[in-house]
Amino acid sequence: SCAGHAAGTAASLPRKMPKVARPVRYGVHFFVVDAAGQVLLRRRPDTGLLASMTEIPGTVWQATPWPEAEALATAPARAQWHGAGTVRHVFTHFSLEITVLAARVVRFANTEVSQGFLLPMARLEGAALPSVMRKCVAMGMQGLSEHEAALSG
């Protein structure tokens, strides 16, 4: 009475369904630190993925990569931005690729801080950041260090 046995395929059942490819979304996030060692952070919107969680400022996540000029137009501060790298993170229903840009500024303008809040770098370790933003912060810190080492060496 078993169709698999009759067909000679019972040993290979049940078959795994092929994995469905997750769509990829792209974003750009900005890691910026002032001379006092404060990092600019903001809260995500109250609804949606990672609702109300803290993040470094960035673009919306979209289906196509961000052209550099368009991404820089959304930067939270006027600065010399440097590429720090790409963070890849997988959510249940999509994969995310975030380009991290990093910069130092002497101080933040009031308008820049009004978009979020400042947190001393020494307190980042204990900050309530989602894991994808922890990856972005680590990438930004590394990118700043490498850039500054290249300038001094």
Side-chain angles (χ1 to χ4, degrees):
S1 66
C2 175
H5 181 69
T9 60
S12 66
L13 297 175
R15 289 192 183 113
K16 288 185 176 183
M17 296 299 292
K19 290 186 178 184
V20 177
R22 285 183 177 95
V24 179
R25 292 192 185 158
Y26 302 87
V28 177
H29 281 262
F30 302 93
F31 181 78
V32 58
V33 181
D34 70 7
Q38 299 181 104
V39 178
L40 181 62
L41 299 173
R42 71 176 183 190
R43 255 198 225 286
R44 289 186 55 79
D46 292 337
T47 59
L49 191 62
L50 306 177
S52 300
M53 296 189 83
T54 303
E55 69 178 357
I56 58 174
T59 64
V60 297
W61 302 338
Q62 63 183 26
T64 57
W66 279 86
E68 185 175 339
E70 286 181 33
L72 287 172
T74 72
R78 295 178 69 108
Q80 289 276 22
W81 294 100
H82 306 281
T86 302
V87 168
R88 289 174 179 79
H89 192 81
V90 178
F91 293 101
T92 21
H93 51 290
F94 68 93
S95 295
L96 178 61
E97 291 190 13
I98 296 175
T99 299
V100 179
L101 300 178
R104 284 201 189 269
V105 295
V106 174
R107 68 178 178 274
F108 290 103
N110 289 338
T111 54
E112 296 163 349
V113 177
S114 69
Q115 299 178 33
F117 60 96
L118 299 176
L119 185 71
M121 280 185 60
R123 292 185 44 208
L124 274 174
E125 181 82 22
L129 296 170
S131 59
V132 65
M133 284 300 126
R134 288 199 177 282
K135 292 178 188 178
C136 290
V137 165
M139 181 77 62
M141 290 172 71
Q142 179 182 341
L144 273 182
S145 294
E146 290 173 358
H147 177 72
E148 290 165 355
L151 289 177
S152 65

